[in-house]
Amino acid sequence: MDLPRSFTIRESNHRIHNPFTDSKLATLGRAIRLRPGMTMLDLASGSGEMLCTWAREHGVTGTGVDISTAFVDAARARAVELGVDDRVTFVHGDAAAYVAATPVDVAACIGATWIGSGVAGTLDLLERDLHPGGLLLVGEPFWRTDPPDQATVEGCHVSAKEDHHDLPGLVALFGKLGWDLVEMVLADEDSWDRYVAAQWLNVRTWLDANPDDDLAGELRAELDDAPLRYARYQRPYLGWGVFALMRR
């Protein structure tokens, strides 16, 4: 059980595996009013930056679960680096199947709603681990601008326009599912650049060091295409944000 090797190569130097900068992550932690002693579960926790920095800055404790062995190892190392390894735990496993031993104050899935086959299913997964009155965090893409054609849709790595909502549609979906939207922090063009453009350098560095690897041809072709695809399609059309929800 692991992520494809191409994914971990592409994001090998990332601490945050979403279009969020350190400053936006810090803004989110302040916005949701974290307090010392609050407990957290982070499903698809990646390299653990959210849990580790919030443990240091806000005194939370918690568990992260991720399918990637490389990212779980990185998260554990980050916890030691920040001196919070006594407050956070990282588990290698299927986030969709993980159930917390006790309910938590904050349950999160940031940028991986595929674990629940979409937003609705992921909110259900998160709610089963949540204290009544607790807070859910979900990270999800949305259309910033209506995509004009199928080439734009596919340029944003989806097969159909309906795979994403626009921002009003996403907010309406939360309400339809019985959740109050109580905070949100959205990506901007700079945070998208820092996420996506950093992948290109990771791939190029890996290609230089591994020219004869079985994946070299695939990743070389990806690097030939990715920057233009991003500049033409993803950057102008695709938004992303983290949304804080409470059950009505």
Side-chain angles (χ1 to χ4, degrees):
M1 180 187 298
D2 215 327
L3 285 177
R5 192 160 61 100
S6 58
F7 190 98
T8 56
I9 291 168
R10 193 179 298 118
E11 301 200 7
S12 57
N13 203 44
H14 287 55
R15 290 207 309 259
I16 301 171
H17 300 280
N18 290 295
F20 242 30
T21 57
D22 294 341
S23 62
K24 286 189 177 291
L25 191 61
T27 296
L28 178 63
R30 293 190 299 269
I32 62 173
R33 305 175 191 175
L34 294 171
R35 301 181 304 279
M38 292 181 77
T39 55
M40 219 181 139
L41 175 66
D42 187 8
L43 297 182
S45 53
S47 296
E49 190 70 4
M50 183 168 70
L51 263 180
C52 289
T53 57
W54 286 0
R56 180 188 63 182
E57 300 300 325
H58 301 286
V60 303
T61 62
T63 300
V65 184
D66 201 271
I67 198 172
S68 168
T69 53
F71 294 164
V72 169
D73 288 346
R76 291 168 177 163
R78 184 64 167 158
V80 172
E81 179 185 0
L82 296 185
V84 295
D85 51 309
D86 59 335
R87 291 182 238 165
V88 295
T89 301
F90 293 97
V91 176
H92 174 246
D94 178 3
Y98 186 87
V99 179
T102 57
V104 297
D105 300 307
V106 181
C109 178
I110 307 301
T113 56
W114 50 265
I115 70 169
S117 301
V119 171
T122 300
L123 296 184
D124 288 342
L125 290 178
L126 293 171
E127 188 175 21
R128 71 189 180 187
D129 292 307
L130 194 67
H131 278 306
L135 191 73
L136 294 192
L137 299 177
V138 62
E140 182 70 1
F142 57 86
W143 295 118
R144 291 178 61 190
T145 304
D146 192 44
D149 50 36
Q150 186 63 18
T152 302
V153 170
E154 293 178 5
C156 294
H157 300 288
V158 292
S159 58
K161 177 181 172 181
E162 293 74 23
D163 289 346
H164 296 320
H165 298 272
D166 61 11
L167 183 57
L170 187 56
V171 172
L173 175 62
F174 297 143
K176 181 180 178 182
L177 295 171
W179 295 90
D180 286 326
L181 176 62
V182 296
E183 257 294 359
M184 66 182 189
V185 178
L186 303 184
D188 55 24
E189 290 179 337
D190 178 64
S191 53
W192 267 111
D193 292 348
R194 299 282 45 79
Y195 173 55
V196 177
Q199 296 176 11
W200 310 334
L201 183 55
N202 288 341
V203 169
R204 175 53 195 267
T205 301
W206 183 90
L207 284 168
D208 288 348
N210 300 275
D212 300 321
D213 191 280
D214 290 345
L215 281 176
E218 174 187 330
L219 291 178
R220 177 66 258 177
E222 178 182 303
L223 187 58
D224 289 343
D225 176 68
L228 182 56
R229 176 193 289 251
Y230 171 67
R232 178 174 287 163
Y233 299 121
Q234 287 176 261
R235 199 175 195 269
Y237 288 98
L238 197 60
W240 190 87
V242 179
F243 304 90
L245 309 172
M246 297 180 72
R247 174 60 81 181
R248 285 182 180 166

